[in-house]
Amino acid sequence: MRHSISRKVLLTVVALMLATLCVGLNRTAFGQDGDSAEKEQIPVEMTKPLIDREPYDLMLVSSSKDKKPMRIVPIGLPPFRAGSSEQNGQVTVELVDMPGRKFQIAWRNVASYQPFPRLLVDEAKKNLDEKKFDLAFRYLQRLNGEYANYPGTERLLEELLVQNALERFQAGALDEALGMLEEAKRKFPRKSGIDKSIESVGLRLVQKEIDDQQWQSARQLIERFENAYGETFADSIRQWRADLTRRSQQQMQRAKGQIAQQNYRAALEATNLALAIDPNVPAGKEQLAELVRRYPQVRIATTAAGDALPPHGTLTWSGRRNKRLIYRDLSEIVGYGPEGGEYASPFGSVIRPVDRFALSIVLRDRLTPVTGFDLSRQFQDPASQQDETLADLTPLIENIAVREIRQVDLRLRLPHVRPEALLGFVPRKGDVSQFPIPFNGPYRPLKSKDAGYSFVPAKGSDLSASRSPSEIQLLPFATTTDAMLALESGEVHMIDRLDPATAARLSVETPDELVVDRYRAPTMHVLVPNLNNPYLKNRDFRRGLLYGINRQEILQGRLLGGKELDGCRLVSAPIPNGVSPDDPVSYGYDLSIAPRSYEPQMSIALQKLAQIKLRNEAEESNQALIPMSKLVIGHPDSEVSRQTCLAIVQYYKRLGLPCELKVVSPELTDPEQAEVDLLYVEVQIAEPLVDVPRMFDRYIPNVHQTQYFQLALRQLGQSQNWQEVRERFWSLHRLAHDDLLIFPLFQLQDHFVYRRSLGGVGYQPMTLFQQVERWDLAPSWDVAKN
């Protein structure tokens, strides 16, 4: 009965709103007092700008009472001059406002006649006088398309190009000004002063490129001016080339001084700069080849720089990439087998006897100074519980035995289907209470004033290649497009992550000198809500937020550019779905749970429902509910997250949710600490069995997890066979989908590209630097590119 009454009330309110709307429309159409019906109605066509109207001519008859010209259907007569004796007799016209009705008018009674193209010319000139160049150009375009060679059009175009070029020159847009002047010269070669203007702008433009150290662009401009204008620019060209030669030789001298001091890094930088300024500088390529042999420097363009020193327990894409340079774990995932990950130990080997409760770690002398006694102490020391990766293993250990110094035998309380995944910690000698965990990887960060990060080999690094990098530079680029230009010009050797659209294109058509490959582990793009916010703590509100994002459009339209790329798809929970249904990494994903679709009406309804619940709860506790003024979305400074978050802001604004974006560190795990409502995270799930529970523990405090969710996480870790793993993962998948503690956006299969001169990268690595000890840089291609 209550629902029936509510429906009647709702229908009554809707009827009243419609009635009010009709009254308003009637008042608008007929006036407040009824007398506006007599007022002249303005035709809809006349409300448009002239450029968008259907053609008509204007004719003013001297006997007209209101002295207003009539709009007539174009009659296509030659220009009319009032009082002229050349036009006698009568003319038949049809009024635009009275289709089908024709009138006879004597020419002697016509005071003025303006054909439609004349109206366009006058309007174009008016816009030109008002410096509305874009609009004036549109009028000239219509004139050229429909009334070619109409008198006055060419003159207007000439003035438009010159005036617009002057305006762009004064605004500092020298390249645009030069383009307009050259177009004016092409169309009007006899116009005086054009050559002088082109030379003036050209001088400024080349000098600006030199001052901005855009050497390649400066050289191309000089060559273009020489080919196009010859002697006109002769003196200036000689001065420019002399300046470039002087600058290049200065850098060569600086490089020789650095070579004498055996500072090969600075010498390489100076030599590269010398060749960038003048590729033909004497002895430049020979000196570069020698320096690359002495100091192989690998330069990598990145669109997601991340933190140079990520925490050891990082799960982010950029963090796991950089971590591999500064840390080596006891056991590292290197790929996938029929069931889960495959592991290798850089310090020895991990043996699993037939008894699934037992696990043996055998260390090799030449690989690590750590002994079995060091590992035993590390397992048992309470301070090791601060290491979140080691803390997952120690509660499972029932007994520890050290045999022959280099072997540790572990007895587990419960069998684990993939115990190697629990050995992803740094083996330490001596004090295990030191945090952050000391570095033990092949490279160390180098302090640099330049943008990006530099890493150099650590003392005693086991770099097996003959030309292993003496330095690895991560150079930040805003977009993949900018990074590709740097790769093609020889500025960098590699791009660590391509945007999906570029990856799809290069996967189909790869240039011969480049190699395109993908990472084996997919990247999950998720939003972590600030569950301390009362709105985001409400599950209905969280569901409403996810329903309000058109994730398919963001992925397919914005990121993939309408293309298809294997492994890039929506997901219904932050669990990897793999590239194909039989991909081993997708063992935890339940295909029967479909991702939530884009439903803005459902989003609004759920948000309203959540607000009602929150308001009632506040009233019951005698507290005031603070309204949400805006949503703050924090995201790392990466290309994909930037594009995605900009799209999310647009969708939320359509729902009446004001938003703002904030760039935060990719390693932040607490939205409250970041002072945001939603935290965008790019998570790389290598081994779902271990990484998915670790992700929820890392980003969602236990206080916000339901007891059922915590139980599902514990049961997953206690699975004794792969059948139990899958069944318990599917239960966790359902809870993650329903509780929505983390918003799943989509999964990307990231790709990278590098020059063939860089060897040893490996095929489909888990992370970029998985085989960095084997990297080998051949200098020949670098020298040839310069």
Side-chain angles (χ1 to χ4, degrees):
M1 185 64 183
R2 182 180 301 172
H3 294 290
S4 176
I5 293 173
S6 299
R7 182 175 178 84
K8 290 180 180 179
V9 171
L10 179 61
L11 291 173
T12 303
V13 172
V14 171
L16 288 173
M17 292 175 64
L18 289 173
T20 305
L21 179 62
C22 291
V23 171
L25 290 174
N26 288 335
R27 288 181 177 177
T28 303
F30 300 108
Q32 297 286 346
D33 52 5
D35 59 354
S36 59
E38 300 176 359
K39 294 182 179 179
E40 181 179 359
Q41 297 280 331
I42 299 177
V44 175
E45 178 72 12
M46 293 298 290
T47 62
K48 301 178 182 178
L50 181 65
I51 193 172
D52 297 327
R53 299 179 196 172
E54 292 294 326
Y56 61 85
D57 296 346
L58 287 182
M59 179 176 286
L60 177 61
V61 179
S62 55
S63 60
S64 173
K65 295 181 180 179
D66 55 8
K67 301 300 182 183
K68 291 182 179 180
M70 301 180 297
R71 290 190 304 134
I72 64 174
V73 176
I75 56 179
L77 293 178
F80 171 80
R81 290 178 297 165
S84 173
S85 60
E86 300 172 2
Q87 293 159 318
N88 299 313
Q90 294 182 333
V91 61
T92 302
V93 299
E94 179 181 352
L95 298 181
V96 172
D97 297 332
M98 297 181 180
R101 297 188 61 181
K102 298 183 179 181
F103 302 89
Q104 297 285 332
I105 300 177
W107 271 115
R108 64 176 179 273
N109 294 329
V110 177
S112 67
Y113 167 64
Q114 295 173 285
F116 190 69
R118 181 73 254 169
L119 299 178
L120 293 175
V121 169
D122 292 343
E123 195 66 21
K125 188 175 186 310
K126 175 185 175 184
N127 283 289
L128 181 60
D129 294 340
E130 295 175 356
K131 308 298 183 185
K132 298 178 181 177
F133 300 118
D134 291 343
L135 194 54
F137 184 70
R138 287 183 59 200
Y139 277 98
L140 291 178
Q141 276 186 313
R142 181 165 183 182
L143 280 163
N144 187 55
E146 299 179 17
Y147 309 98
N149 301 321
Y150 192 81
T153 305
E154 289 295 306
R155 174 65 179 168
L156 274 175
L157 178 58
E158 178 183 339
E159 289 300 317
L160 173 63
L161 291 171
V162 173
Q163 289 189 36
N164 200 3
L166 176 62
E167 186 269 338
R168 300 314 299 153
F169 177 80
Q170 293 172 344
L174 302 177
D175 51 346
E176 296 180 28
L178 179 64
M180 292 173 186
L181 288 172
E182 289 184 325
E183 178 67 11
K185 178 177 175 61
R186 187 181 67 82
K187 286 184 173 292
F188 313 106
R190 296 183 180 180
K191 182 173 177 60
S192 61
I194 286 286
D195 288 343
K196 194 67 178 174
S197 298
I198 290 175
E199 183 178 10
S200 176
V201 175
L203 288 171
R204 289 278 296 274
L205 183 56
V206 173
Q207 191 59 49
K208 180 180 182 298
E209 296 298 293
I210 292 175
D211 293 342
D212 293 344
Q213 299 184 5
Q214 301 297 318
W215 311 113
Q216 184 178 9
S217 177
R219 294 198 312 270
Q220 289 174 347
L221 280 171
I222 293 170
E223 185 176 352
R224 185 162 75 85
F225 288 148
E226 184 177 35
N227 295 334
Y229 303 105
E231 290 300 320
T232 305
F233 278 63
D235 294 338
S236 299
I237 289 170
R238 282 192 292 270
Q239 293 177 10
W240 290 331
R241 286 188 167 152
D243 183 30
L244 293 179
T245 300
R246 176 183 57 80
R247 291 171 183 261
S248 181
Q249 291 175 347
Q250 285 178 346
Q251 294 301 323
M252 288 293 291
Q253 290 300 319
R254 185 168 76 89
K256 291 176 181 177
Q258 296 297 334
I259 292 173
Q261 300 176 25
Q262 296 187 351
N263 187 351
Y264 299 122
R265 183 178 190 270
L268 182 63
E269 179 184 351
T271 305
N272 272 317
L273 180 55
L275 284 166
I277 298 172
D278 182 6
N280 300 314
V281 62
K285 293 185 177 181
E286 294 78 6
Q287 182 167 295
L288 176 63
E290 180 60 27
L291 283 170
V292 170
R293 291 187 185 94
R294 293 187 183 186
Y295 192 84
Q297 183 190 67
V298 175
R299 299 179 297 278
I300 302 172
T302 177
T303 57
D307 287 357
L309 303 176
H312 177 262
T314 179
L315 291 173
T316 66
W317 183 90
S318 60
R320 289 199 153 180
R321 176 200 61 198
N322 294 351
K323 170 192 168 182
R324 177 58 179 80
L325 287 174
I326 58 178
Y327 289 115
R328 294 306 306 269
D329 293 336
L330 180 62
S331 177
E332 297 174 348
I333 186 170
V334 295
Y336 295 105
E339 293 182 324
E342 293 183 336
Y343 292 81
S345 174
F347 303 104
S349 58
V350 178
I351 302 172
R352 286 192 296 166
V354 177
D355 182 0
R356 296 174 59 246
F357 286 85
L359 183 68
S360 295
I361 303 167
V362 181
L363 304 171
R364 291 196 289 271
D365 290 343
R366 66 182 184 84
L367 295 179
T368 176
V370 176
T371 67
F373 294 107
D374 295 317
L375 284 182
S376 176
R377 184 170 57 253
Q378 192 172 357
F379 288 138
Q380 299 177 74
D381 195 313
S384 295
Q385 297 303 308
Q386 298 180 49
D387 184 349
E388 57 186 303
T389 56
L390 187 55
D392 294 334
L393 173 63
T394 51
L396 299 177
I397 300 175
E398 182 178 52
N399 185 49
I400 302 175
V402 179
R403 292 176 21 184
E404 300 178 357
I405 302 178
R406 293 289 173 177
Q407 180 171 334
V408 180
D409 295 336
L410 302 179
R411 182 76 182 176
L412 304 180
R413 302 179 190 278
L414 295 171
H416 196 280
V417 295
R418 189 62 78 219
E420 301 97 320
L422 302 176
L423 299 178
F425 63 91
V426 173
R428 302 168 68 175
K429 185 178 181 65
D431 184 10
V432 298
S433 62
Q434 184 180 352
F435 289 92
I437 298 172
F439 306 143
N440 71 331
Y443 283 83
R444 296 288 183 272
L446 177 70
K447 291 183 179 180
S448 176
K449 297 180 181 179
D450 301 329
Y453 305 128
S454 292
F455 299 86
V456 295
K459 292 181 180 179
S461 294
D462 184 19
L463 303 178
S464 58
S466 59
R467 291 180 297 268
S468 293
S470 297
E471 180 183 359
I472 294 175
Q473 289 186 337
L474 284 174
L475 306 174
F477 286 80
T479 65
T480 298
T481 302
D482 296 337
M484 284 298 299
L485 291 174
L487 183 68
E488 293 165 358
S489 68
E491 182 181 344
V492 299
H493 300 89
M494 172 187 283
I495 302 175
D496 69 339
R497 183 165 71 170
L498 300 169
D499 74 76
T502 303
R505 176 176 59 82
L506 287 179
S507 297
V508 176
E509 44 186 39
T510 307
D512 292 338
E513 70 274 11
L514 300 179
V515 178
V516 177
D517 200 359
R518 66 177 177 86
Y519 298 105
R520 189 63 185 88
T523 306
M524 312 302 300
H525 291 253
V526 302
L527 288 173
V528 178
N530 182 355
L531 297 175
N532 293 320
N533 182 318
Y535 289 89
L536 291 164
K537 188 177 180 180
N538 184 283
R539 189 179 69 166
D540 289 330
F541 193 84
R542 296 198 301 270
R543 290 169 59 203
L545 289 181
L546 189 58
Y547 274 120
I549 305 173
N550 193 342
R551 295 179 290 159
Q552 185 64 41
E553 189 277 331
I554 294 175
L555 175 63
Q556 195 65 36
R558 292 175 180 260
L559 299 181
L560 286 168
K563 299 180 174 64
E564 295 291 336
L565 191 62
D566 290 341
C568 298
R569 57 173 65 94
L570 300 189
V571 288
S572 53
I575 301 172
N577 193 3
V579 176
S580 59
D582 59 349
D583 192 333
V585 75
S586 60
Y587 60 79
Y589 193 87
D590 186 354
L591 292 172
S592 67
I593 303 177
R596 287 183 173 90
S597 57
Y598 173 55
E599 298 183 30
Q601 294 87 355
M602 177 68 77
S603 175
I604 294 173
L606 286 171
Q607 290 177 48
K608 295 295 184 185
L609 178 62
Q611 290 173 359
I612 293 171
K613 289 183 178 179
L614 290 171
R615 191 178 299 113
N616 292 338
E617 291 173 2
E619 291 175 354
E620 290 175 0
S621 59
N622 294 323
Q623 294 180 351
L625 178 64
I626 301 175
M628 176 175 282
S629 57
K630 62 183 175 183
L631 277 174
V632 181
I633 304 176
H635 66 90
D637 190 14
S638 68
E639 180 181 21
V640 172
S641 68
R642 215 167 25 243
Q643 293 185 46
T644 304
C645 287
L646 286 172
I648 290 174
V649 167
Q650 294 176 357
Y651 283 114
Y652 281 167
K653 285 185 176 179
R654 295 176 190 174
L655 301 175
L657 283 172
C659 291
E660 71 175 36
L661 298 180
K662 180 181 180 181
V663 177
V664 300
S665 167
E667 300 304 328
L668 279 174
T669 60
D670 183 6
E672 184 81 10
Q673 181 184 353
E675 298 181 345
V676 299
D677 299 300
L678 295 171
L679 182 64
Y680 191 105
V681 186
E682 300 171 347
V683 186
Q684 189 181 60
I685 304 296
E687 182 67 88
L689 177 62
V690 173
D691 289 343
V692 169
R694 190 174 292 167
M695 174 186 64
F696 280 103
D697 288 341
R698 187 173 179 82
Y699 290 97
I700 306 298
N702 288 339
V703 68
H704 294 302
Q705 298 178 16
T706 66
Q707 58 180 348
Y708 302 106
F709 198 88
Q710 293 178 17
L711 177 62
L713 291 175
R714 286 197 304 272
Q715 289 179 336
L716 178 62
Q718 296 169 0
S719 303
Q720 299 187 23
N721 54 63
W722 281 106
Q723 182 61 33
E724 284 189 359
V725 168
R726 292 185 178 89
E727 291 174 356
R728 293 178 179 182
F729 235 131
W730 293 341
S731 297
L732 178 66
H733 188 150
R734 172 58 65 184
L735 288 172
H737 176 266
D738 293 342
D739 290 355
L740 212 62
L741 296 175
I742 294 179
F743 296 7
L745 296 177
F746 42 77
Q747 168 189 285
L748 293 182
Q749 197 73 47
D750 291 311
H751 287 65
F752 61 99
V753 59
Y754 60 96
R755 302 179 188 172
R756 293 190 181 276
S757 62
L758 182 60
V761 177
Y763 175 69
Q764 292 187 2
M766 300 295 292
T767 64
L768 180 65
F769 300 118
Q770 179 173 317
Q771 297 185 175
V772 70
E773 292 88 352
R774 302 178 188 175
W775 283 18
D776 194 323
L777 180 62
S780 58
W781 198 90
D782 295 277
V783 177
K785 192 68 179 177
N786 278 287

